[in-house]
Amino acid sequence: MKILVCISHVPDTTSKINFTDGDTKFDTNGVQFVINPNDEFGLTRAMWFKEKQGASVDVANVGGPETEPTLRKALAIGADNAIRVNTEATDGFYVARQLAKVIQDGGYDLVIAGRESIDYNGGMVPGMISALTGANFVNTCIGLEVEGDMATVTREIDGGKETSTAKLPLIVGGQKGLVEESDLRIPNMRGIMMARKKPLTVVEPIEANQETKAVQFQKPTPKGEVTLVDPENIDQLVTLLHNEAKVI
């Protein structure tokens, strides 16, 4: 089984976020980048398939040279090969077109992508890849088993779970539940040393339209002051809820 895991290069959630050029561009100065968490769950699941079923695992990313440390980390975790599409990831459709080309060229049986990246939270790319490649698609996936050319997939739905089967090739939009956080792997020294020798292929992008463009970013409004109320002072709590919060 040939597996491709799509890897997004995203800011660490502890990074301080700022914008430049009139709030039109993300300021990367001083920002630590990591593997998108939803992709990391998928990568760990793919490693299980490699170890238990002899699958091969490639990783792919759309981005510039600055994203290569993130791909090297994926190789250090255990992926066999990495592919970087050498262009800026500015638009969901554009990214999907680039990844679809990688998938078609590689002939993958199973593609695991995060259901969304934690920077732009678009949640569009896995579905678009499915449409562009003609493969089956299951989103918000929290469980995945493969036997032969059939996959059994569990996904999160409103108020519960749904389990279904799908024939390969299959595109999965994965999230926490594919594996748990405690299952995620930290590269060891041997893995880091081996990752330096593993293939990281750079391919040039194909022509594709960029259908959307971010015109401005805005940070959330800072939280207001907090008023602490003594638990014995119910009258003050009621007064504040009525006169200031206006919720009663």
Side-chain angles (χ1 to χ4, degrees):
M1 178 167 58
K2 290 187 67 177
I3 301 175
L4 179 71
V5 181
C6 302
I7 300 291
S8 290
H9 171 79
V10 300
D12 191 304
T13 54
T14 60
S15 298
K16 188 176 181 179
I17 301 301
N18 288 304
F19 302 105
T20 61
D21 296 354
D23 291 335
T24 60
K25 292 184 178 178
F26 174 57
D27 183 3
T28 59
N29 288 324
V31 175
Q32 177 74 31
F33 284 84
V34 297
I35 298 175
N36 178 46
N38 288 318
D39 301 339
E40 196 167 3
F41 292 127
L43 176 60
T44 304
R45 187 64 190 158
M47 295 312 303
W48 288 12
F49 287 125
K50 177 180 178 179
E51 293 163 359
K52 297 179 180 178
Q53 299 181 213
S56 64
V57 179
D58 293 354
V59 292
N61 161 262
V62 178
E66 71 280 1
T67 67
E68 290 193 3
T70 297
L71 286 174
R72 287 290 179 196
K73 181 181 178 183
L75 292 171
I77 289 173
D80 300 302
N81 302 285
I83 301 161
R84 178 172 68 82
V85 182
N86 187 31
T87 183
E88 188 177 0
T90 55
D91 169 75
F93 178 75
Y94 183 75
V95 170
R97 287 280 291 119
Q98 305 307 323
L99 291 173
K101 179 68 165 58
V102 171
I103 293 164
Q104 289 165 335
D105 289 347
Y108 294 99
D109 304 297
L110 176 64
V111 177
I112 306 177
R115 67 178 172 87
E116 64 179 359
S117 61
I118 64 166
D119 49 0
Y120 293 102
N121 301 100
M124 300 180 290
V125 171
M128 288 180 175
I129 293 173
S130 169
L132 291 167
T133 60
N136 294 319
F137 174 51
V138 178
N139 203 16
T140 61
C141 182
I142 55 173
L144 176 63
E145 299 290 344
V146 177
E147 189 67 37
D149 64 349
M150 293 295 295
T152 301
V153 185
T154 302
R155 70 185 188 97
E156 191 174 75
I157 59 174
D158 190 16
K161 302 176 183 178
E162 177 188 76
T163 299
S164 56
T165 58
K167 193 170 184 179
L168 303 182
L170 174 67
I171 312 291
V172 165
Q175 61 181 54
K176 181 181 177 182
L178 272 180
V179 299
E180 298 302 323
E181 290 184 10
S182 58
D183 299 317
L184 297 178
R185 303 180 180 190
I186 299 173
N188 56 30
M189 185 54 67
R190 183 171 181 271
I192 293 170
M193 297 300 290
M194 290 180 65
R196 295 177 180 176
K197 300 179 181 178
K198 291 182 178 178
L200 195 164
T201 304
V202 179
V203 299
E204 293 305 315
I206 60 172
E207 286 196 14
N209 293 333
Q210 301 205 25
E211 302 290 351
T212 59
K213 179 182 178 182
V215 295
Q216 189 176 41
F217 299 101
Q218 184 175 3
K219 293 198 287 189
T221 304
K223 294 181 180 179
E225 294 184 0
V226 175
T227 301
L228 298 178
V229 178
D230 190 305
E232 302 297 329
N233 195 344
I234 302 301
D235 290 341
Q236 184 189 5
L237 177 62
V238 171
T239 300
L240 290 171
L241 291 174
H242 181 70
N243 295 334
E244 294 191 14
K246 300 185 186 304
V247 295
I248 60 174

